Amino acid sequence: MRLFELCGEDKNLTFSPFVWRTKMALAHKGLAYEKVPCNFTNKEAFAQSGSKTVPVIEDGGVWVSDSWDIACYLEDNYKDSPSLFGGDAGRGLALFLNNWAGPHLILPMFHILAPDIPQYLTTVDAEYFRSSREKFFGHPIDELLPHKEKNMERFKKAISPIRATLKAQDFISGNSPAYGDYIIFGAYQWARQVGSIDLLEGEKYIAPWFEKMLDMYDGLGRGAKLAVRD
Amino acid sequence: MRLFELCGEDKNLTFSPFVWRTKMALAHKGLAYEKVPCNFTNKEAFAQSGSKTVPVIEDGGVWVSDSWDIACYLEDNYKDSPSLFGGDAGRGLALFLNNWAGPHLILPMFHILAPDIPQYLTTVDAEYFRSSREKFFGHPIDELLPHKEKNMERFKKAISPIRATLKAQDFISGNSPAYGDYIIFGAYQWARQVGSIDLLEGEKYIAPWFEKMLDMYDGLGRGAKLAVRD
């Protein structure tokens, strides 16, 4: 199996929150794979998938893209290894969480992280990142900087269900970690790798959960390369 | 078993979104019960539970309050009837959805519905409702009225994960309805019974799901009394 992932100028700095979902899912399933780091502007390696974004996997000639579709593919094709969803209701509700995470976790987080990112990209990628995200936000990403406090407040409000859930139980998915945990882990890992603000400060319930997640699968998350600020 | 539920001036107008979760859960489990309608300001009937809010159930001398705790009690004590959660991961993620629904579904909905409610309550209840909710909002509930459009916009944004999930699958909980669906059903049923605005207008994916939910269990939801506006 091959996993196509996003990297910075440093090929070992692989920080996409969506790719992290897939990496944790592959580890959960105990599957080995070859990593193929790709820049934002270098999509030829996985062109056959028809996707313009990572994660993409190629599994014996089968191409699958989109982190959710990859999770379902792994669940349905590797039934003998531990389940990512724990049954139909677990899969259904994990999709709800997945659909929540885009606009209500990743997006508020991106308002805080976006200005931190281009410094770690190749010159070509940084230019692409700045112009595509300027189009998305309707203004240059650096204009987010003066609103950091307000954006932080919005983020802290948005994640209240994560906080309340981890106050009541060890993992988002109940007694043991599963795909729901990986969705949220990916976001905080992204922030840990490239962000300049500690989003877990004061998070009595989320921070200890994140530490446990970093240690899973022989420290897969903890061992990840962190961006080195100038 | 007895279910203590909230009613308006009309004892048959029982509209609490939290009680609806429990009613659907009891129907899912196929359990029979006696209904005990209570006003906002009449809590003696279930005082033994130690709770000041409904739903409360009394099951052969065992008192359980809080819709989530009731769901867990039913799941753990009626194992032979259909599961509300579909396993540990399903229960874990249903708690996430439950924690999401309070601040991100019920609360934005309440900003729209609150001014509609007192007209259906007893005089004493209406006074209690107005003064307690004024304390909560920091202003009289009627001051929400001029902001209906903005609050509607906020609500429509908040529910994007419901919309996206029901676009992809038949039920919030996957292929068949379970507790996650009842959490969301309760909110829309509340709006259907006492609200003056159709919150499902234009909802291509949520509206057909809600119709299916209304028909379940011999039309339990569809048969519920609706408020009659003056």
Side-chain angles (χ1 to χ4, degrees):
Chain A
M1 201 179 309
R2 288 191 295 165
L3 168 66
F4 298 83
E5 58 178 340
L6 180 70
C7 67
E9 185 165 25
D10 178 343
K11 282 212 173 315
N12 293 313
L13 179 63
T14 52
F15 56 84
S16 156
F18 304 102
V19 175
W20 271 110
R21 298 177 186 179
T22 300
K23 278 186 168 173
M24 295 298 276
L26 287 163
H28 184 106
K29 287 278 184 195
L31 297 168
Y33 57 93
E34 182 196 332
K35 292 185 269 187
V36 186
C38 303
N39 292 131
F40 270 110
T41 51
N42 186 342
K43 303 168 193 284
E44 296 93 60
F46 56 90
Q48 259 190 278
S49 68
S51 174
K52 290 187 169 165
T53 56
V54 291
V56 165
I57 61 164
E58 184 265 318
D59 185 21
V62 178
W63 291 83
V64 192
S65 58
D66 180 277
S67 59
W68 177 257
D69 291 342
I70 292 172
C72 291
Y73 171 86
L74 297 176
E75 184 76 348
D76 295 335
N77 288 276
Y78 294 93
K79 290 186 199 240
D80 293 339
S81 48
S83 171
L84 288 167
F85 300 125
D88 180 56
R91 186 190 295 219
L93 293 173
L95 180 58
F96 177 87
L97 199 160
N98 200 69
N99 287 329
W100 171 80
H104 301 284
L105 169 65
I106 300 282
L107 184 60
M109 205 182 254
F110 193 52
H111 277 80
I112 301 167
L113 296 184
D116 290 326
I117 296 173
Q119 63 184 305
Y120 306 121
L121 307 179
T122 63
T123 313
V124 175
D125 265 21
E127 198 176 308
Y128 161 81
F129 184 87
R130 285 187 183 283
S131 72
S132 59
R133 273 53 176 179
E134 176 169 342
K135 245 177 244 164
F136 176 78
F137 284 117
H139 56 71
I141 52 171
D142 290 340
E143 286 183 18
L144 293 165
L145 288 168
H147 306 288
K148 228 168 191 172
E149 208 167 314
K150 208 190 117 202
N151 285 331
M152 193 69 177
E153 203 182 302
R154 187 165 76 115
F155 170 72
K156 290 280 186 175
K157 227 171 171 170
I159 60 162
S160 70
I162 301 178
R163 202 179 289 124
T165 303
L166 292 173
K167 185 180 174 179
Q169 63 194 23
D170 285 351
F171 295 96
I172 295 293
S173 311
N175 297 321
S176 53
Y179 196 68
D181 293 86
Y182 306 149
I183 293 172
I184 294 173
F185 171 78
Y188 280 100
Q189 175 75 329
W190 177 42
R192 174 176 173 261
Q193 288 180 278
V194 299
S196 56
I197 292 184
D198 180 5
L199 298 181
L200 289 168
E201 205 193 317
E203 292 292 357
K204 238 167 82 178
Y205 306 105
I206 308 176
W209 162 86
F210 187 62
E211 290 299 314
K212 279 185 286 183
M213 296 300 293
L214 284 172
D215 286 333
M216 289 187 67
Y217 310 124
D218 299 322
L220 173 63
R222 198 176 292 284
K225 183 123 192 177
L226 306 183
V228 180
R229 208 157 298 278
D230 289 333
Chain B
M1 201 179 309
R2 289 190 295 164
L3 168 66
F4 298 83
E5 59 177 340
L6 179 70
C7 67
E9 186 166 23
D10 179 342
K11 282 211 173 316
N12 294 312
L13 180 63
T14 52
F15 56 83
S16 156
F18 304 102
V19 175
W20 272 109
R21 297 177 186 179
T22 300
K23 278 187 167 174
M24 296 297 275
L26 287 163
H28 184 106
K29 287 278 183 194
L31 296 168
Y33 58 93
E34 182 196 333
K35 292 184 269 186
V36 186
C38 304
N39 292 132
F40 270 111
T41 51
N42 185 341
K43 302 168 193 287
E44 296 94 59
F46 56 90
Q48 259 190 278
S49 69
S51 174
K52 291 189 166 163
T53 55
V54 291
V56 164
I57 61 164
E58 184 266 318
D59 185 20
V62 179
W63 291 83
V64 192
S65 57
D66 180 277
S67 59
W68 177 256
D69 290 343
I70 293 172
C72 291
Y73 170 86
L74 297 176
E75 185 75 349
D76 295 335
N77 287 278
Y78 294 93
K79 289 186 201 245
D80 292 340
S81 48
S83 171
L84 287 168
F85 300 126
D88 180 56
R91 185 189 295 219
L93 293 172
L95 179 58
F96 176 87
L97 199 160
N98 200 70
N99 288 328
W100 170 80
H104 301 285
L105 170 64
I106 300 283
L107 184 60
M109 206 182 254
F110 193 52
H111 277 80
I112 301 166
L113 296 183
D116 290 325
I117 295 175
Q119 63 184 305
Y120 307 121
L121 307 180
T122 63
T123 312
V124 175
D125 265 21
E127 198 177 308
Y128 161 80
F129 184 87
R130 284 188 184 282
S131 74
S132 60
R133 274 51 176 179
E134 176 169 342
K135 245 178 244 163
F136 176 79
F137 285 118
H139 56 71
I141 51 172
D142 290 341
E143 286 184 20
L144 293 165
L145 287 168
H147 306 288
K148 229 168 191 173
E149 208 166 315
K150 208 190 118 202
N151 285 331
M152 193 68 177
E153 203 181 303
R154 188 165 76 115
F155 170 72
K156 290 281 186 175
K157 227 172 170 169
I159 60 162
S160 69
I162 302 178
R163 202 179 288 124
T165 303
L166 292 172
K167 184 180 175 180
Q169 62 194 21
D170 285 351
F171 295 96
I172 295 293
S173 311
N175 297 321
S176 52
Y179 196 70
D181 293 85
Y182 306 148
I183 294 171
I184 294 172
F185 172 78
Y188 280 101
Q189 174 75 329
W190 175 44
R192 174 177 173 261
Q193 288 179 278
V194 298
S196 56
I197 293 184
D198 181 5
L199 298 181
L200 288 167
E201 205 192 317
E203 291 293 357
K204 236 167 83 177
Y205 305 105
I206 308 176
W209 162 85
F210 187 63
E211 291 297 316
K212 277 185 286 182
M213 296 299 295
L214 284 173
D215 286 334
M216 289 187 67
Y217 310 123
D218 298 322
L220 174 63
R222 197 176 294 282
K225 183 120 192 176
L226 305 184
V228 181
R229 208 158 298 279
D230 289 333

